[in-house]
Amino acid sequence: MDTRYFLSSITNVECFVYAVQKQWEIKNQLHWCLDVIFEEGRLQGS
């Protein structure tokens, strides 16, 4: 198990969780586009 620490001025835990989830959603969509549309994995030999 990993432990991660975050520095933030957000004091509402639900707001923090939402912000982190939205960040990962955006990151995952970007990687999907790179992999599927631009075939990034294939170009790197994956």
Side-chain angles (χ1 to χ4, degrees):
M1 177 169 60
D2 293 332
T3 301
R4 294 183 182 194
Y5 297 94
F6 297 90
L7 297 177
S8 175
S9 61
I10 298 174
T11 58
N12 181 321
V13 174
E14 288 83 14
C15 183
F16 177 76
V17 169
Y18 177 78
V20 171
Q21 288 174 339
K22 292 310 272 183
Q23 151 57 10
W24 277 105
E25 182 179 323
I26 292 167
K27 184 175 175 64
N28 288 337
Q29 288 173 354
L30 173 61
H31 284 287
W32 183 88
C33 288
L34 292 172
D35 292 343
V36 174
I37 295 172
F38 297 109
E39 299 178 345
E40 187 178 73
R42 183 183 64 80
L43 296 174
Q44 295 177 355
S46 299

